[in-house]
Amino acid sequence: LFCLALTISIAFSLNKLNSLRELYKYISGLLLFLIAASLEYEDKIKVIHAMIITGLVISVLAIYQYFFGFQHILDYISKQKLPDASFALDYISRKRVFSPFVTPNTLAGYLAMIIPLTLTHKNKIWLIMLLSSALLLTKSLGALISLVLALGLYFYLQGRLEKRRIILLFGLAIIGALFIIRSITYMQHLQPIFSATIRLGYWKDTVEIIRASPITGVGIGNFNLAHSRYAHNSYLQIWVEMGILGVISILWLILAVFKSALKNITKNTQKNQIISLIAANIVFLAHNLVDFTFFLPEVALLWWLILGLVIPKDNNENSYRNPNL
């Protein structure tokens, strides 16, 4: 159904060339999803470890940028005399890390998605501390809230959502939110409330476009607002570009994957790994309620991979043999 929605979207696209240029993102994502779903358990573990290691390297780069890298960027912008560096200068003025991605929110969405994967590792405390430090330095409230929600689901599925864990999660959310809010400048256009207001405006304009073409959409790659290329809500943007079948089919696909994983989770010897992968997915899905990393291959392709890893190769518990973590 999702592939059918893509086909319909291109067939009725307002600009077919734009749609064909965007098609590679969806084809690549679906292929990664299918490949990940077909992997043996040992190979899935290797992929998870590779993602964690990559996340650690990127965390180090982000932390380095916070303490030393901003001046390097300013020197480069000055030397190259770049005409349009306002966004980079804005992030630097607020000391929001973004390296090696383009925006702090993109980096935050990536790091928050990696953190739940570390719960499968024996050295998870140190891994979480490093990744979380880099995440806080992005000063992204949306990613932080998404992570707290995902960790709450993780403890719930583990049957360990006691009162003290709930207090811990709320405490982390409050501390992180206060750090982010108190760290940014007092200029009005940089305040969180201003950012939320802007997003509400984007959503309102997006809904108006949906009303004009709710069934077939305007075609992938053809969404544009007056001041943004993205709706800052991926589900609304999928509806705009792919029509009603697009948003229904992607949500159905996600629910089908989760249902497959949770079906026999209480009997599965690798319960912790499955729940961690589900939590990583929840971070991505929740963050895309207020952001657009679904349309950025550097994050979205990783999500397609994680979504495929959730699927058990079969319903036989033997397909999940004991790992050497």
Side-chain angles (χ1 to χ4, degrees):
L1 287 175
F2 186 71
C3 291
L4 176 61
L6 280 172
T7 304
I8 294 173
S9 172
I10 294 173
F12 290 90
S13 174
L14 300 179
N15 187 323
K16 290 182 172 56
L17 185 58
N18 278 349
S19 295
L20 291 173
R21 287 172 178 167
E22 287 290 300
L23 187 59
Y24 82 93
K25 298 179 182 179
Y26 296 91
I27 293 176
S28 301
L30 288 169
L31 287 175
L32 281 173
F33 169 76
L34 294 172
I35 291 170
S38 68
L39 293 176
E40 298 291 342
Y41 174 74
E42 290 81 2
D43 294 324
K44 289 186 176 184
I45 288 295
K46 292 177 183 177
V47 171
I48 293 173
H49 285 179
M51 287 190 288
I52 293 174
I53 292 171
T54 305
L56 292 175
V57 172
I58 289 178
S59 295
V60 171
L61 288 174
I63 294 171
Y64 174 85
Q65 182 185 44
Y66 183 82
F67 289 103
F68 309 105
F70 290 133
Q71 188 59 48
H72 298 332
I73 298 174
L74 290 173
D75 293 341
Y76 178 80
I77 291 173
S78 176
K79 182 178 179 181
Q80 298 296 324
K81 298 180 179 179
L82 299 177
D84 187 15
S86 57
F87 279 105
L89 294 174
D90 178 26
Y91 301 146
I92 292 172
S93 70
R94 289 186 279 170
K95 298 202 75 174
R96 295 187 66 188
V97 299
F98 54 88
S99 180
F101 295 96
V102 179
T103 70
N105 287 337
T106 305
L107 173 61
Y110 167 82
L111 292 173
M113 188 167 54
I114 296 295
I115 288 174
L117 299 181
T118 63
L119 297 172
T120 64
H121 201 280
K122 61 182 179 181
N123 296 320
K124 55 190 174 187
I125 298 299
W126 298 107
L127 300 176
I128 291 173
M129 287 179 63
L130 183 58
L131 288 161
S132 298
S133 297
L135 174 62
L136 285 175
L137 295 179
T138 66
K139 302 176 183 177
S140 171
L141 276 173
L144 175 65
I145 293 171
S146 300
L147 177 60
V148 170
L149 290 174
L151 292 177
L153 177 64
Y154 172 85
F155 290 124
Y156 173 76
L157 293 176
Q158 289 278 21
R160 293 187 292 166
L161 192 61
E162 305 98 347
K163 183 178 179 180
R164 63 185 181 87
R165 294 188 186 275
I166 295 175
I167 294 174
L168 175 62
L169 289 175
F170 274 108
L172 290 174
I174 293 171
I175 292 171
L178 288 175
F179 171 80
I180 293 169
I181 293 171
R182 293 175 68 89
S183 296
I184 63 178
T185 173
Y186 287 100
M187 295 175 65
Q188 181 188 13
H189 76 286
L190 302 180
Q191 293 297 314
I193 187 64
F194 185 84
S195 178
T197 303
I198 290 294
R199 280 175 165 80
L200 288 173
Y202 291 157
W203 299 345
K204 181 180 178 180
D205 293 341
T206 303
V207 170
E208 292 301 317
I209 302 175
I210 290 173
R211 287 175 178 172
S213 185
I215 306 301
T216 60
V218 299
I220 56 174
N222 290 330
F223 178 81
N224 267 305
L225 296 176
H227 302 289
S228 177
R229 290 181 54 207
Y230 303 101
H232 289 263
N233 182 309
S234 293
Y235 307 100
L236 288 178
Q237 188 165 337
I238 292 171
W239 193 344
V240 167
E241 295 190 346
M242 297 178 62
I244 186 65
L245 182 59
V247 70
I248 289 176
S249 59
I250 188 66
L251 292 175
W252 192 354
L253 172 63
I254 293 166
L255 290 175
V257 169
F258 288 177
K259 181 179 178 181
S260 174
L262 294 172
K263 188 175 181 181
N264 297 311
I265 196 170
T266 56
K267 300 177 183 178
N268 203 301
T269 58
Q270 298 308 319
K271 176 180 177 180
N272 185 54
Q273 179 207 323
I274 296 173
I275 295 176
S276 298
L277 287 166
I278 291 175
N281 275 278
I282 294 299
V283 171
F284 179 86
L285 297 172
H287 191 220
N288 273 272
L289 287 168
V290 294
D291 218 282
F292 49 85
T293 51
F294 179 86
F295 299 97
L296 304 178
E298 56 268 38
V299 180
L301 292 182
L302 187 69
W303 170 72
W304 281 107
L305 187 63
I306 293 173
L307 185 66
L309 293 174
V310 175
I311 302 177
K313 194 165 184 182
D314 53 52
N315 290 328
N316 188 345
E317 185 177 340
N318 292 329
S319 65
Y320 287 95
R321 292 179 290 276
N322 290 328
N324 295 315
L325 294 181

